[in-house]
Amino acid sequence: MSAASWSIPAIPRAVPPARGGPHAPGEAFLVPARPRCRAAPARRLRLGRGAGAGGVVVARAGAHADVPVAGSGEAAVVFSDKFPLRRCKTVEGKAWVRVDAEPDGDGKCKVVIGCDLEGKWVLHWGVSYDGETGREWDQPPEEIRPPGSVPIKDSAIETPLEISHSSEGCVLHEVEIKFDKDTPIAVINFVLKEEGTGAWFQHKGGDFRIPLSGSLKDKDSSGAKQGDKLEGSNAQPKETVPEDKGPNRKCISQFYGEYPILKSEYVENSVSVTVTENSETNKSRVEFDTDITGDVIIHWGVCKGNTMTWEIPPEPHPPKTKIFRQKALQTLLEQKTDGSGNTISFLLNADYSGLVFILKLNEDTWLRNLENNFDFYIPLTRVDQIGSTQEPRKADEHKLDDKSSQTDGLISDIRNLVVGLSSRRGQRTKNKVLQEDILQEIERLAAEAYSIFRSPTIEIAEDSVYIDDPESVKPACSGTGSGFEILCQGFNWESHKSGKWYVELGTKAKELASLGFTIVWSPPPTDSVSPEGYMPRDLYNLNCRYGTMEELKQLVNIFHQNGMKVLGDAVLNHRCAQFQNQNGVWNIFGGRINWDDRAVVADDPHFQGRGNKSSGDNFHAAPNIDHSQDFVRKDLKEWLCWMRKEVGYDGWRLDFVRGFWGGYVKDYMEATEPYFAVGEYWDSLSYTYGEMDYNQDAHRQRIVDWINATNGTAGAFDVTTKGILHMALERSEYWRLSDEKGKPPGVLGWWPSRAVTFIENHDTGSTQGHWRFPYGMEMQGYAYILTHPGTPAVFYDHIFSHLQQDIARLISVRRRLKIQCRSKIKILKAEQNLYAAQIDETVTMKIGSGHFEPSGPINWTVAVEGHDYKIWEAPS
């Protein structure tokens, strides 16, 4: 590792979100969003515990004093209460890494990782092996895992640090990892996590990397080259090991390094508010008093009646008051003469019903009501007076439609869960598991209510062959095209290298159309950190390695002239930042969509996001975008609509949709109304002891669940079918191509109109070859997907190869016999070396080396045949 490059950054400060957002880990009591009056001039307070008339969160009932008889001239105390406050302060400590290169009595070398700050510390770690060039982690082998280690998904484990004491009596937290000197492990990767606050501690926004051998092929996260030693400002290497000279030589060095670590802790304060009313002057006096020293600002507004609309009261305003964006006032409190805090009092007209405020300490710290985590609401008149001003509602205002009535119970359940969770916020002893369960239940109920209110219900008969669209219930945007689409992937992993791919692809448009393709999938168009386009940066910059924006528009126009639709490859799950935050973490975005870290999910340790937890799996190479944020969805919808209009895209291929909830995709699809849309939901199939399971229902269920979450507005690549085809063809186990009910075992067997079938793409094939289709058996794969329901996709490399004419013949049969995404299928044979099926009573096909000839009254004729595949058609 490079010298003096190791440090652990400070916890990110709590910057109030510009457009709404949750707390960052460890900032549970700071403001999770800017005050409501900033966002809109007429926004209502949320209903919470202690809600008064009109759904207002009223301070605790015990705060109200007796009110003298009206007209007596005395000042009547309308409200008085003291609210607890909690704010962050930063404490500094140190973390350390020690490598003991000399084996101990058990013949083991040792890595010790620790820190000296109070807390419940956990090591989140994984390993990389000799010869690996990427940044992905692997789980460490069982024999080196310390006691108490817990697996996290399939790439890391978490190990608690144990408490010990130094010779000076200080509390230390350490964990030891023991390993053999000849271990194949090249690097230990880790970050530290403090469980109490949920805060992550990293190395310059990335992973800590401890090299255990000299066989690394790439640079580490700090830029160190192969053979560099771990060093920091206090590093003390005790031994120099020569560079690796052979395949079995290790470069493990004795090493010790210390690194500063900053941790947020909370300071308890309070603010008291008293409201008095004088009937003679028709004025209310509001007094604020807090024990917080230094500059304190109240960000406030008033409201009338039950509308809860933020207003700015007319002048005169209190001294040192500024108008904030014509939405609110900001008043600097006066410091007490004894230096014990700040105070202020001012008069308001008695015709206001309430005052809403948040305390601002600086641009980065805003304090809210701890009891309910909402803005502070202070009644300026008695609650019974507020209630008496309500007009009786008309009878028809109480009527609810059918969908609303279905959600009544769900809303009640959610509210009860929120109250239960809120009541536990202040408890010193927290049951984390219980609170996580409550949060998960809230999410589940909210999703259910959303589904009931926003989505049509598709009822499927239990014995139905397909989960598909009943004619009476169609989504607003199906994204399936005409149903007769044949998709061509118009690039491979190397296409960017020419710099003129749009121009080159345009020259092939006429040929692709003549082959029978109806849609072309074009590569990612945006400015990107990676030349292939899958690490997007400035979304509105469409000049990329494939060509310029003008060349892209010309490409789309050329395909349109040849009667083909064009899909844009939209990467919505993650985005690379242009700027670093104060801790050196790349999570600040530039360009027209200039988000900050509130647009990044909170539970990815690599990028210090302050959004909500991810609604899917994290993509670890770039900041994962938090689609639960309203401002994120608004910006992405505007961007997608802009590309539809400016570029002329007809639909979307959506990258890594496993990373975020399909319900957000539904919003994007309904906003852009694509002709065709398909998502890449790719995860591992089911295996037992290294053998692929026959039953892959769990795998295809996950894909179907995602499609269902989109309300059917997008399809998905049928990864299940590809995986089963691999095994069936490689091992001559064609019986795998029929499930237990005699139906196709992939997504096309359950929801064919949303299944986009394929055998290869730029990831699985091309020069990457992550999951290459069995060599020499490609035409069997195409014979399957081009005769079956679903929407088939053909890979660019196969089209422009020796396979082209064979593929063209299959496409011709599909088009001539009108096979479409909802075609009906009857499996005739599924044996060791043979699979045969009949489609729509017009096509019979077989793949495999086994003999098969169709029988029955139909006079079948051979349409296409090749090595181990054959297609017959019925007379027209």
Side-chain angles (χ1 to χ4, degrees):
M1 310 284 296
S2 61
S5 65
W6 277 53
S7 64
I8 298 183
I11 298 288
R13 294 178 298 167
V15 184
R19 310 185 221 184
H23 302 287
E27 298 169 348
F29 300 101
L30 298 182
V31 179
R34 291 196 182 205
R36 286 177 170 77
C37 55
R38 298 186 186 186
R43 202 164 175 184
R44 295 178 181 273
L45 290 176
R46 297 168 60 187
L47 182 64
R49 283 191 303 142
V56 178
V57 178
V58 182
R60 289 170 286 189
H64 300 278
D66 293 335
V67 180
V69 177
S72 64
E74 299 179 20
V77 179
V78 173
F79 175 89
S80 181
D81 201 4
K82 183 177 183 179
F83 301 95
L85 302 172
R86 190 169 291 177
R87 58 191 175 94
C88 279
K89 73 172 183 179
T90 301
V91 294
E92 184 172 353
K94 65 181 179 181
W96 55 86
V97 175
R98 187 175 78 247
V99 179
D100 295 337
E102 292 302 319
D104 58 15
D106 297 327
K108 301 289 185 181
C109 301
K110 182 169 59 177
V111 171
V112 180
I113 300 166
C115 69
D116 63 356
L117 287 177
E118 291 186 6
K120 185 178 179 182
W121 292 93
V122 171
L123 185 73
H124 182 94
W125 64 292
V127 300
S128 301
Y129 288 94
D130 288 339
E132 293 184 344
T133 59
R135 295 296 181 85
E136 293 297 322
W137 295 10
D138 291 311
Q139 284 189 345
E142 292 277 357
E143 60 268 18
I144 75 168
R145 301 181 190 181
S149 297
V150 177
I152 303 298
K153 296 186 178 179
D154 58 357
S155 60
I157 65 170
E158 289 190 348
T159 303
L161 274 63
E162 296 182 352
I163 297 176
S164 61
H165 293 82
S166 67
S167 57
E168 294 81 15
C170 298
V171 176
L172 306 178
H173 304 263
E174 286 189 332
V175 64
E176 294 184 355
I177 301 172
K178 294 184 177 182
F179 56 93
D180 295 328
K181 192 172 183 68
D182 61 350
T183 177
I185 296 171
V187 173
I188 292 178
N189 311 281
F190 75 90
V191 293
L192 284 171
K193 178 182 178 182
E194 205 285 295
E195 287 278 88
T197 61
W200 298 85
F201 298 84
Q202 302 170 288
H203 165 47
K204 290 186 174 295
D207 305 331
F208 285 93
R209 292 168 58 84
I210 308 174
L212 299 185
S213 77
S215 59
L216 286 177
K217 304 297 183 185
D218 64 341
K219 294 183 179 182
D220 65 25
S221 59
S222 63
K225 298 179 180 178
Q226 175 179 341
D228 285 352
K229 306 299 182 291
L230 292 176
E231 295 182 359
S233 56
N234 299 314
Q236 302 172 16
K238 298 178 181 178
E239 178 185 349
T240 302
V241 177
E243 187 176 353
D244 191 10
K245 300 296 184 181
N248 298 317
R249 286 288 301 276
K250 288 292 176 184
C251 293
I252 301 174
S253 301
Q254 196 81 0
F255 167 81
Y256 178 80
E258 293 182 354
Y259 317 100
I261 182 170
L262 303 177
K263 176 173 175 283
S264 290
E265 294 185 351
Y266 294 110
V267 179
E268 305 288 343
N269 293 104
S270 64
V271 60
S272 297
V273 184
T274 301
V275 179
T276 56
E277 184 183 60
N278 191 305
S279 58
E280 292 184 352
T281 62
N282 200 32
K283 299 280 187 180
S284 295
R285 176 172 293 278
V286 184
E287 300 181 35
F288 291 86
D289 188 282
T290 179
D291 58 352
I292 300 177
T293 57
D295 289 346
V296 179
I297 293 172
I298 54 170
H299 181 103
W300 63 287
V302 294
C303 44
K304 293 180 178 179
N306 298 308
T307 65
M308 303 314 303
T309 301
W310 282 70
E311 296 183 15
I312 297 176
E315 295 182 346
H317 298 147
K320 299 181 181 180
T321 294
K322 296 180 180 179
I323 297 176
F324 183 84
R325 300 180 182 176
Q326 302 302 316
K327 303 284 182 62
L329 297 177
Q330 291 188 341
T331 301
L332 179 66
L333 273 61
E334 300 172 356
Q335 295 189 7
K336 299 178 184 177
T337 55
D338 61 0
S340 62
N342 288 270
T343 187
I344 197 171
S345 66
F346 51 84
L347 296 175
L348 289 173
N349 291 332
D351 52 351
Y352 295 110
S353 61
L355 180 148
V356 187
F357 76 94
I358 291 175
L359 290 178
K360 175 184 175 183
L361 304 188
N362 51 56
E363 290 299 329
D364 301 326
T365 306
W366 304 68
L367 305 182
R368 266 184 153 165
N369 190 340
L370 282 180
E371 183 176 352
N372 48 47
N373 206 28
F374 300 152
D375 303 342
F376 293 97
Y377 175 80
I378 307 300
L380 299 180
T381 58
R382 290 173 296 176
V383 174
D384 58 344
Q385 291 176 336
I386 298 174
S388 65
T389 63
Q390 282 188 288
E391 295 181 3
R393 297 182 66 187
K394 297 178 181 179
D396 58 359
E397 291 180 342
H398 293 280
K399 295 179 180 178
L400 299 174
D401 60 26
D402 292 340
K403 289 182 178 178
S404 296
S405 64
Q406 292 180 56
T407 61
D408 282 348
L410 293 173
I411 293 171
S412 176
D413 289 344
I414 293 171
R415 183 173 295 133
N416 291 335
L417 288 168
V418 171
V419 170
L421 185 60
S422 178
S423 68
R424 292 175 172 83
R425 282 187 182 274
Q427 296 177 5
R428 190 172 298 275
T429 302
K430 298 181 178 180
N431 186 331
K432 182 179 178 181
V433 174
L434 177 60
Q435 294 200 21
E436 288 293 333
D437 287 346
I438 291 175
L439 287 171
Q440 290 177 9
E441 183 66 10
I442 290 172
E443 291 175 357
R444 185 190 69 77
L445 291 169
E448 186 177 343
Y450 180 89
S451 176
I452 291 172
F453 190 74
R454 295 288 302 276
S455 306
T457 300
I458 301 177
E459 296 182 359
I460 306 301
E462 186 174 344
D463 59 350
S464 176
V465 176
Y466 304 115
I467 300 176
D468 224 320
D469 310 316
E471 289 301 320
S472 59
V473 182
K474 292 285 187 182
C477 165
S478 69
T480 59
S482 66
F484 294 88
E485 309 303 338
I486 302 173
L487 175 65
C488 157
Q489 179 173 1
F491 63 99
N492 61 30
W493 193 247
E494 305 296 321
S495 297
H496 64 89
K497 290 187 175 179
S498 71
K500 289 287 184 180
W501 185 251
Y502 293 148
V503 175
E504 294 178 28
L505 184 59
T507 64
K508 301 181 186 299
K510 186 175 182 180
E511 182 179 4
L512 291 170
S514 68
L515 289 172
F517 291 102
T518 62
I519 300 178
V520 63
W521 157 20
S522 65
T526 57
D527 165 54
S528 171
V529 171
S530 65
E532 298 83 12
Y534 289 101
M535 301 282 280
R537 185 167 44 194
D538 185 352
L539 299 185
Y540 278 91
N541 180 0
L542 301 189
N543 297 314
C544 65
R545 299 292 182 89
Y546 297 100
T548 66
M549 180 175 175
E550 285 305 313
E551 290 169 343
L552 172 60
K553 292 166 72 173
Q554 291 172 11
L555 172 70
V556 172
N557 186 50
I558 290 171
F559 274 103
H560 286 171
Q561 290 174 4
N562 284 277
M564 292 181 63
K565 306 291 187 182
V566 183
L567 303 186
D569 200 327
V571 184
L572 304 179
N573 174 75
H574 52 273
R575 181 184 172 196
C576 293
Q578 283 100 318
F579 308 103
Q580 296 169 288
N581 70 1
Q582 61 184 6
N583 303 317
V585 179
W586 293 89
N587 61 11
I588 307 299
F589 304 92
R592 183 164 160 182
I593 304 181
N594 55 344
W595 298 327
D596 59 17
D597 55 2
R598 286 159 292 200
V600 180
V601 298
D603 52 347
D604 184 344
H606 299 85
F607 295 103
Q608 295 184 3
R610 293 196 297 114
N612 290 308
K613 287 186 176 181
S614 176
S615 57
D617 294 335
N618 280 329
F619 177 80
H620 295 295
N624 287 253
I625 300 305
D626 178 14
H627 294 263
S628 71
Q629 304 280 21
D630 290 339
F631 71 88
V632 167
R633 295 198 305 279
K634 176 179 178 293
D635 287 343
L636 289 179
K637 283 187 280 191
E638 289 178 355
W639 173 63
L640 291 169
C641 289
W642 174 78
M643 287 203 295
R644 281 273 274 149
K645 180 180 178 181
E646 291 296 318
V647 177
Y649 284 137
D650 303 289
W652 312 110
R653 180 267 184 183
L654 304 171
D655 184 64
F656 199 78
V657 296
R658 205 179 81 208
F660 56 105
W661 180 46
Y664 302 133
V665 173
K666 172 180 179 290
D667 289 345
Y668 302 140
M669 297 304 98
E670 289 181 346
T672 59
E673 298 183 340
Y675 176 80
F676 190 91
V678 55
E680 179 207 29
Y681 194 103
W682 181 6
D683 67 354
S684 296
L685 279 77
S686 302
Y687 290 82
T688 301
Y689 302 118
E691 292 288 324
M692 180 185 286
D693 295 343
Y694 164 66
N695 187 324
Q696 294 293 334
D697 286 356
H699 184 266
R700 59 174 166 175
Q701 184 67 60
R702 292 192 292 272
I703 299 175
V704 166
D705 286 346
W706 179 83
I707 300 171
N708 193 48
T710 75
N711 194 34
T713 57
F717 287 110
D718 193 346
V719 180
T720 315
T721 291
K722 173 178 168 63
I724 294 172
L725 278 171
H726 272 245
M727 191 63 65
L729 274 59
E730 278 181 336
R731 302 177 58 166
S732 189
E733 296 176 348
Y734 290 83
W735 45 264
R736 292 180 177 272
L737 294 174
S738 175
D739 69 11
E740 294 173 347
K741 295 184 178 180
K743 309 303 177 187
V747 177
L748 71 88
W750 278 359
W751 204 339
S753 68
R754 302 304 189 276
V756 177
T757 53
F758 72 108
I759 69 167
E760 207 80 288
N761 63 27
H762 61 291
D763 287 319
T764 66
S766 192
T767 54
Q768 291 203 95
H770 290 321
W771 194 22
R772 201 179 300 281
F773 200 78
Y775 180 75
M777 297 182 172
E778 295 89 350
M779 286 311 303
Q780 287 191 65
Y782 282 124
Y784 183 92
I785 69 172
L786 285 168
T787 59
H788 279 50
T791 300
V794 183
F795 184 40
Y796 182 88
D797 289 7
H798 292 164
I799 299 168
F800 295 98
S801 73
H802 66 284
L803 303 177
Q804 183 182 102
Q805 292 306 311
D806 293 330
I807 292 173
R809 293 186 189 100
L810 289 172
I811 293 175
S812 176
V813 170
R814 183 179 184 91
R815 289 170 61 89
R816 186 172 70 251
L817 301 179
K818 296 182 171 53
I819 300 173
Q820 47 119 335
C821 68
R822 296 179 177 86
S823 289
K824 302 305 180 184
I825 180 171
K826 179 181 180 182
I827 296 176
L828 306 174
K829 297 282 186 178
E831 302 170 352
Q832 189 70 35
N833 62 350
L834 173 67
Y835 170 85
Q838 182 177 305
I839 300 92
D840 283 344
E841 298 184 351
T842 60
V843 175
T844 297
M845 59 81 64
K846 80 98 178 180
I847 56 175
S849 60
H851 176 75
F852 175 83
E853 292 289 335
S855 59
I858 299 177
N859 185 24
W860 297 97
T861 59
V862 176
V864 178
E865 63 179 315
H867 181 63
D868 286 344
Y869 71 93
K870 199 169 185 179
I871 316 296
W872 296 265
E873 60 180 302
S876 56

